[in-house]
C-alpha cells in the first residue's frame, strides 16, 4: 500500500454569473458555473515510504495548489488524494502564533492546531525547547522575539513528532545558517527513519542532493516524473525555452537522457576535451591541464554570442560553470555561416569520478534571457587518479602538510 | 455529521487553548484587561439610564425599586450583548481566519465553536458583574434565576444559527458584512431593551410577535427584574426557530466549506 496516492486529481476554480447561483447549488439547484478555470488536471502519482520527491515547476505551474490538496486545506474538484499517515508541512511557519503569548504557550497552541493533544505535547515540550535553542526567551512573549527566533520555535513545533510525510519548501528560511543546517539534519534524520519527503524547490542542487525522484509540473499537469537529474535538465530547458524554441529529448547509448533546447540561431557543432598535447581524451588524470573545445555554428545574424559550460558530477550536481560573458571574451555582430570555436583551458582539479558537461549558447550573462541552444550531457569524461596521493571528494585541493610535535 | 463532532472532540485541546489565549491576550499589557468587557456594557447602561430615565422610568409598572429602569436596561443588555457579539464575530469569522484556513488543515467547525466559547465566557463574567450591581441596588436573585441557563442556551443557538448563515454568505457576498451591522442596530431598537414593551402602540404589538428576540429579552426581564418565572411558551417557539436556523447554518457551512478556501 503506498503512502500517498494521487489519482486523476484536478482543481478548478469556478466562477458563477452570480454568487446566488453558487449558493443555490448548495441547496441542490441545477445552476452551472459560468466559467471553470482549471489550474490542475489529471495528476497521477503515488509515493512509497522513505522516498524523497522533489516537486518542481515554474511559478503558477500548480505546485502550491497540488500541495494544498495533499495537505487537505484545499478540496479537489475531481479525483482523490489518499494518505496513509500523518502529513506535516513546513511551508508556512508560525501560523497561529499569537504575539502576546509566550513561546511555550504558543507551542501548545500551534501543536493543538496540528491536531496533537496536550498530553502528546507535554511529552515533547522539552525537546522542542532544546531544539529551538532560544534560552530564556522560550518563556517570554513572542512579540519580543526576532523573526529568526520565531522561526526556530515554529520549526521545532512543526517537526516535534515525526510525520509519515513531510512537505518542505526548500527555499524557506529558518533563521541563521547554523539553524538552517540543524533543521536540514533533522529532515534527513526523519527521512532515514522512513519519512517521505516532498520538497518544493527551484534549486537544482538541493533537489538533486535530497531527492531520489522529481516531478515536474507545467501549466497544471505532470510533464515529467523520473530521476531528478533528467527532470531538472528538462526543467532548465523549459525555462530557457522562448518563442520558436524547441525542446528535444534524446536517449543516449548508456540509457541516460539528453535534453536539447533553444531557438536555434546558433547551434553547438561539437564539444570535446583535449589534453596538453591536443589529443582528444575521455580519461583525464587528476590535476592535468586540459582544453574544452566548443565548436559552434551560426545560422542567423545575431548581435552577440556567449558560450557557457557547466561541469556536473555523476549525480548532476553543478561542480563548476562559467561563460564567456563572465570571462570577458565576447563575440559580437555575428553573421550566418560563421563557425566560431571556443577553447577553455583549465586544470582538471577534480576528484575521481565521472563528470558531464552541459553547454549553452545565449546572450548576456545567463541563458534565461535569450537562449540559442542548451545542450545537456554534451560530453562525458572521467577523472582518474594515476599519480596523486589518495583523496576523497569532488575537488582536488592538494595541501602542503606539516606535522608538529 | 457524526464526523463533525468527532473531529471537534479530537481538537478540543485546540478549542480550549484558543479560548484561553484570546482571554489572556486581552489582559496582556492593559491594566484593566478583561474588565473592559464588563465596563463597556455597564457604561452603555449608565448612559442610557442617565439620558432616558426621566422619560421612561415612570412607565415601568410592577417594580418597587428606584433604580428600576437601570435594572431593566441591564437585564435586556445582558441578553442582547451575547446575541450581538456572537453574530458580529461569526459574520467576519471566516474572512478573519482566511489565512489560517488556507494554510493549515484543521476542522473548520472549531472556528465557530471557539467564538461561542469565548462569547459565553464574556457573558458569564458580565452576568456575574451584573449580579453584583443588582445586589448593590437592592435586587437579589431568587430561585427563578436557574431559568437563565436554558434561556442562555436558546439565545446562543439563535445567534449561532444566524451568525453561521451570515458568516458563510459573507465569504462569497461581502455586502453582507456591511449591511448586517445596520440591521442589527435596527433590530436592537425594535426589541424592548431600552424602552418598556408597554409604550409600543397597540397596532405594532403584532410586529413584536415576529421578533424571536422579544420573548428572550422579556424572559430576561421577568427573571432578573420582576423576579418571576418567564412565559415559556413564547420562548419555546424561539427555541424551535433557533434550532432550525442552527441546522440550516450547519448545513450551509458544510456545503460551503470546500469552496470557502477557494475564494478567500
Amino acid at each position: 500500500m503506498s503512502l500517498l496516492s494521487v489519482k486523476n486529481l484536478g482543481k478548478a476554480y469556478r466562477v458563477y454569473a452570480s454568487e446566488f447561483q453558487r449558493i443555490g447549488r448548495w441547496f441542490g439547484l441545477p445552476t452551472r458555473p459560468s466559467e471553470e478555470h482549471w489550474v490542475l488536471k489529471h495528476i497521477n502519482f503515488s509515493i512509497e515510504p522513505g522516498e524523497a520527491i522533489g516537486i518542481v515547476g515554474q511559478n503558477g505551474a500548480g505546485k502550491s495548489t497540488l500541495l494544498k490538496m495533499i495537505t487537505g486545506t484545499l478540496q479537489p474538484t475531481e479525483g482523490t488524494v489518499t494518505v496513509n499517515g500523518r502529513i506535516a508541512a513546513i511551508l508556512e511557519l508560525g501560523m497561529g502564533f499569537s504575539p502576546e503569548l509566550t513561546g511555550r504557550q504558543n507551542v501548545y497552541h500551534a501543536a493543538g492546531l496540528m491536531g496533537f493533544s496536550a498530553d502528546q505535547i507535554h511529552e515533547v515540550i522539552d525537546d522542542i525547547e532544546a531544539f529551538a535553542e532560544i534560552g530564556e526567551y522560550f518563556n517570554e512573549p513572542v512579540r519580543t522575539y526576532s523573526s529568526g527566533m520565531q522561526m526556530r520555535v515554529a520549526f521545532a513545533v512543526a517537526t516535534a513528532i515525526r510525520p509519515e510525510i513531510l512537505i518542505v519548501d526548500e527555499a524557506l528560511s529558518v533563521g541563521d545558517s547554523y539553524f538552517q543546517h540543524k533543521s536540514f539534519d533533522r529532515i534527513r534524520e526523519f527521512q532515514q527513519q522512513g519519512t517521505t519527503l516532498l520538497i518544493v524547490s527551484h534549486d537544482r542542487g538541493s533537489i538533486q542532493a535530497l531527492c531520489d525522484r522529481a516531478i515536474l509540473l507545467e501549466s497544471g499537469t505532470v510533464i515529467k516524473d523520473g530521476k531528478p537529474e533528467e527532470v531538472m535538465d528538462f526543467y532548465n530547458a523549459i525555462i530557457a525555452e522562448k518563442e520558436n524554441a524547441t525542446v528535444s529529448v534524446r536517449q543516449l547509448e548508456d540509457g541516460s537522457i539528453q535534453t536539447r533546447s533553444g531557438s536555434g540561431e546558433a547551434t553547438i557543432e561539437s564539444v570535446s576535451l583535449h589534453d596538453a598535447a591536443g589529443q582528444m581524451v575521455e580519461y583525464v588524470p587528476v590535476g592535468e591541464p586540459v582544453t574544452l573545445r566548443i565548436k559552434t555554428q551560426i545560422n542567423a545574424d545575431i548581435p552577440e554570442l556567449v558560450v557557457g559550460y557547466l561541469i556536473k558530477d555523476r549525480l548532476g550536481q553543478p561542480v563548476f560553470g562559467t561563460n564567456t560573458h563572465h570571462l570577458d571574451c565576447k563575440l559580437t555582430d555575428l553573421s550566418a555561416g560563421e563557425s566560431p570555436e571556443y577553447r577553455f583551458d583549465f586544470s582538471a582539479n577534480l576528484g575521481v569520478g565521472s563528470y558531464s558537461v552541459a553547454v549553452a549558447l545565449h546572450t548576456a550573462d545567463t541563458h534565461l534571457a535569450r537562449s540559442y541552444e542548451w545542450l545537456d550531457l554534451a560530453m562525458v569524461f572521467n577523472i582518474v587518479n594515476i599519480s596523486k596521493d589518495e583523496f576523497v571528494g569532488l575537488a582536488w585541493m592538494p595541501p602542503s602538510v606539516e606535522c608538529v610535535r | 455529521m457524526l464526523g463533525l463532532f468527532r473531529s471537534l472532540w479530537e481538537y478540543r485541546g485546540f478549542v480550549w487553548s484558543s479560548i484561553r489565549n484570546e482571554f489572556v491576550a486581552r489582559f496582556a499589557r492593559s491594566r484593566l484587561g478583561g474588565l473592559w468587557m464588563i465596563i463597556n456594557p455597564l457604561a452603555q447602561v449608565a448612559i442610557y439610564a442617565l439620558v432616558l430615565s426621566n422619560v421612561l422610568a415612570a412607565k415601568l409598572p410592577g417594580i418597587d425599586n428606584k433604580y428600576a429602569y437601570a435594572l431593566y436596561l441591564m437585564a435586556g443588555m445582558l441578553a442582547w450583548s451575547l446575541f450581538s457579539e456572537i453574530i458580529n464575530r461569526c459574520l467576519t469569522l471566516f474572512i478573519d481566519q482566511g489565512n489560517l484556513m488556507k494554510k493549515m488543515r484543521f476542522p473548520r467547525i472549531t472556528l465557530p465553536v471557539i467564538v461561542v466559547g469565548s462569547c459565553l465566557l464574556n457573558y458569564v463574567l458580565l452576568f456575574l458583574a451584573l449580579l453584583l450591581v443588582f445586589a448593590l441596588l437592592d435586587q437579589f436573585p431568587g430561585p427563578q434565576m436557574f431559568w437563565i441557563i436554558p434561556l442562555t442556551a436558546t439565545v446562543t443557538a439563535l445567534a449561532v444559527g444566524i451568525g453561521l448563515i451570515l458568516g458563510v454568505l459573507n465569504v462569497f457576498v461581502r455586502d453582507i458584512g456591511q449591511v448586517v451591522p445596520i440591521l442589527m442596530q435596527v433590530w436592537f431598537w425594535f426589541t424592548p431593551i431600552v424602552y418598556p414593551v408597554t409604550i409600543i402602540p397597540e397596532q405594532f404589538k403584532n410586529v413584536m410577535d415576529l421578533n424571536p428576540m422579544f420573548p428572550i429579552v422579556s424572559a430576561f426581564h421577568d427573571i432578573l427584574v420582576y423576579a418571576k418565572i418567564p412565559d415559556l411558551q413564547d420562548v419555546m417557539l424561539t427555541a424551535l426557530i433557533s434550532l432550525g436556523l442552527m441546522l440550516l447554518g450547519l448545513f450551509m457551512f458544510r456545503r460551503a466549506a470546500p469552496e470557502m478556501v477557494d475564494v478567500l
Side-chain angles (χ1 to χ4, degrees):
Chain A
M1 191 166 59
S2 53
L3 197 55
L4 171 80
S5 88
V6 172
K7 284 206 185 77
N8 194 33
L9 193 67
K11 176 77 193 173
Y13 288 98
R14 294 189 166 129
V15 180
Y16 291 82
S18 150
E19 287 297 328
F20 294 102
Q21 294 187 3
R22 185 201 296 273
I23 292 158
R25 231 171 113 102
W26 303 339
F27 294 98
L29 290 184
T31 56
R32 294 206 156 273
S34 63
E35 223 180 282
E36 274 192 344
H37 179 57
W38 287 89
V39 290
L40 276 185
K41 222 167 180 180
H42 308 312
I43 307 284
N44 287 291
F45 61 87
S46 62
I47 290 173
E48 304 305 320
E51 274 192 295
I53 290 157
I55 307 248
V56 283
Q58 287 170 281
N59 291 341
K63 297 190 298 286
S64 308
T65 310
L66 175 62
L67 291 179
K68 277 182 187 167
M69 284 196 285
I70 291 175
T71 52
T73 54
L74 214 56
Q75 296 297 317
T77 310
E78 60 171 35
T80 53
V81 176
T82 322
V83 184
N84 298 306
R86 193 173 72 81
I87 298 187
I90 321 180
L91 296 168
E92 206 78 34
L93 285 177
M95 285 309 292
F97 271 34
S98 131
E100 294 298 343
L101 300 178
T102 67
R104 188 181 298 277
Q105 288 166 330
N106 268 310
V107 165
Y108 276 93
H109 185 67
L113 186 59
M114 289 161 60
F116 295 120
S117 68
D119 292 341
Q120 282 173 296
I121 308 160
H122 271 315
E123 282 174 27
V124 293
I125 186 82
D126 292 337
D127 295 342
I128 293 174
E129 185 176 1
F131 191 84
E133 286 187 68
I134 56 164
E136 291 300 304
Y137 273 102
F138 199 61
N139 296 314
E140 299 282 327
V142 165
R143 68 182 147 80
T144 64
Y145 286 24
S146 71
S147 54
M149 284 156 75
Q150 201 174 326
M151 281 298 173
R152 284 178 171 220
V153 177
F155 182 89
V157 188
T159 59
I161 295 172
R162 187 179 73 82
E164 272 73 45
I165 300 176
L166 184 66
I167 299 179
V168 189
D169 184 345
E170 195 273 329
L172 185 78
S173 151
V174 276
D176 51 21
S177 53
Y178 164 72
F179 199 75
Q180 196 100 27
H181 277 275
K182 189 170 172 177
S183 41
F184 265 90
D185 280 347
R186 173 166 271 197
I187 290 171
R188 285 207 193 84
E189 213 174 281
F190 280 170
Q191 192 188 359
Q192 279 156 15
Q193 290 167 24
T195 292
T196 290
L197 300 182
L198 268 181
I199 298 168
V200 196
S201 178
H202 293 281
D203 179 26
R204 154 173 216 131
S206 48
I207 288 281
Q208 280 168 188
L210 290 167
C211 305
D212 37 40
R213 180 177 158 197
I215 292 173
L216 176 58
L217 286 180
E218 173 70 13
S219 37
T221 48
V222 173
I223 58 167
K224 208 139 181 63
D225 180 348
K227 279 196 282 182
E229 202 191 338
E230 290 163 18
V231 172
M232 289 313 287
D233 284 346
F234 201 81
Y235 176 54
N236 278 344
I238 288 183
I239 291 180
E241 188 180 0
K242 291 284 158 192
E243 322 121 46
N244 303 326
T246 53
V247 177
S248 71
V249 174
R250 190 161 65 92
Q251 187 143 21
L252 299 181
E253 287 150 29
D254 63 348
S256 58
I257 285 171
Q258 184 186 51
T259 310
R260 183 190 283 265
S261 68
S263 53
E265 284 92 337
T267 47
I268 298 158
E269 281 297 293
S270 67
V271 179
S272 54
L273 198 64
H274 301 258
D275 63 12
Q279 289 292 318
M280 214 153 110
V281 286
E282 201 179 319
Y283 288 87
V284 180
V286 173
E288 285 293 299
V290 288
T291 305
L292 180 70
R293 291 189 192 173
I294 299 171
K295 215 179 217 165
T296 60
Q297 176 70 41
I298 310 297
N299 303 318
D301 293 358
I302 49 173
E304 182 193 15
L305 179 64
V306 171
V307 175
Y309 69 94
L310 176 63
I311 298 176
K312 298 188 279 187
D313 73 358
R314 114 195 112 76
L315 297 172
Q317 301 231 52
V319 176
F320 181 85
T322 187
N323 64 36
T324 56
H325 177 89
H326 296 308
L327 297 169
D328 215 14
C329 167
K330 283 179 199 163
L331 290 181
T332 50
D333 297 319
L334 298 109
S335 43
E338 284 189 71
S339 52
E341 187 181 273
Y342 290 76
R343 296 180 185 195
F344 300 91
D345 292 318
F346 56 91
S347 297
N349 292 334
L350 296 165
V352 171
S354 166
Y355 296 85
S356 72
V357 181
V359 178
L361 308 183
H362 51 87
T363 61
D365 58 336
T366 72
H367 73 281
L368 299 175
R370 183 121 179 71
S371 169
Y372 301 128
E373 183 155 73
W374 167 288
L375 182 62
D376 269 306
L377 293 171
M379 69 156 299
V380 176
F381 64 94
N382 297 286
I383 297 288
V384 287
N385 191 353
I386 297 169
S387 55
K388 303 288 193 273
D389 300 318
E390 178 82 15
F391 70 99
V392 293
L394 275 184
W396 163 242
M397 305 160 75
S400 61
V401 65
E402 236 179 296
C403 303
V404 185
R405 213 170 194 170
Chain B
M1 199 59 114
L2 204 66
L4 203 68
F5 291 111
R6 188 169 336 111
S7 55
L8 197 56
W9 177 248
E10 277 164 15
Y11 272 71
R12 62 193 184 280
F14 170 67
V15 170
W16 190 234
S17 84
S18 295
I19 295 171
R20 203 195 46 215
N21 289 354
E22 203 176 295
F23 194 70
V24 170
R26 213 154 34 214
F27 274 95
R29 289 202 285 170
S30 126
R31 300 212 167 181
L32 294 179
L35 281 183
W36 289 112
M37 296 312 298
I38 296 162
I39 296 171
N40 263 328
L42 286 183
Q44 209 177 349
V45 165
I47 292 165
Y48 282 128
L50 212 65
V51 176
L52 297 173
S53 57
N54 284 333
V55 190
L56 294 166
K59 311 223 165 144
L60 276 175
I63 326 174
D64 186 26
N65 187 320
K66 55 181 170 173
Y67 302 107
Y69 180 60
L71 298 178
Y72 182 87
L73 268 174
M74 282 188 271
M77 284 287 195
L78 178 66
W80 186 264
S81 70
L82 176 64
F83 179 67
S84 70
E85 198 192 349
I86 294 180
I87 289 187
N88 286 333
R89 289 196 42 194
C90 280
L91 181 64
T92 55
L93 177 64
F94 302 115
I95 296 174
D96 293 344
Q97 303 292 342
N99 211 18
L100 194 62
M101 288 170 64
K102 278 198 283 190
K103 304 280 162 62
M104 294 291 293
R105 192 176 74 122
F106 62 99
R108 273 68 169 114
I109 190 71
T110 51
L111 293 175
V113 173
I114 290 164
V115 164
V116 170
S118 160
C119 291
L120 279 175
L121 183 64
N122 291 342
Y123 168 81
V124 167
L125 292 178
L126 181 62
F127 179 65
L128 294 177
L130 285 191
L131 283 186
L132 193 72
V133 175
F134 272 48
L136 290 175
L137 302 179
D138 279 342
Q139 180 91 350
F140 294 97
Q144 80 284 355
M145 200 59 86
F146 289 103
W147 284 106
I148 282 285
I149 294 168
L151 277 173
T152 302
T154 309
V155 72
T156 305
L158 183 65
V160 170
I162 297 173
L164 258 183
I165 294 170
L166 295 175
V168 167
L169 292 180
N170 194 24
V171 173
F172 301 97
V173 188
R174 298 286 165 107
D175 307 56
I176 306 261
Q178 302 298 323
V179 80
V180 166
I182 302 172
L183 292 181
M184 288 298 286
Q185 195 81 316
V186 173
W187 197 347
F188 174 76
W189 288 101
F190 271 87
T191 310
I193 295 165
V194 173
Y195 53 86
V197 69
T198 46
I199 69 160
I200 304 171
E202 203 54 48
Q203 66 262 41
F204 293 124
K205 280 257 165 72
N206 322 348
V207 183
M208 255 332 147
D209 291 340
L210 300 174
N211 180 353
M213 271 306 275
F214 174 56
I216 292 192
V217 169
S218 299
F220 269 74
H221 287 148
D222 285 342
I223 293 167
L224 291 167
V225 184
Y226 301 105
K228 64 180 186 189
I229 290 167
D231 178 2
L232 292 173
Q233 208 171 350
D234 291 348
V235 174
M236 276 306 286
L237 191 66
T238 297
L240 279 178
I241 295 172
S242 310
L243 202 66
L245 284 173
M246 206 156 84
L247 288 176
L248 177 66
L250 267 179
F251 172 77
M252 285 176 66
F253 171 76
R254 279 175 66 84
R255 296 307 302 256
E259 284 178 59
M260 247 190 292
V261 182
D262 293 359
V263 299
L264 275 169

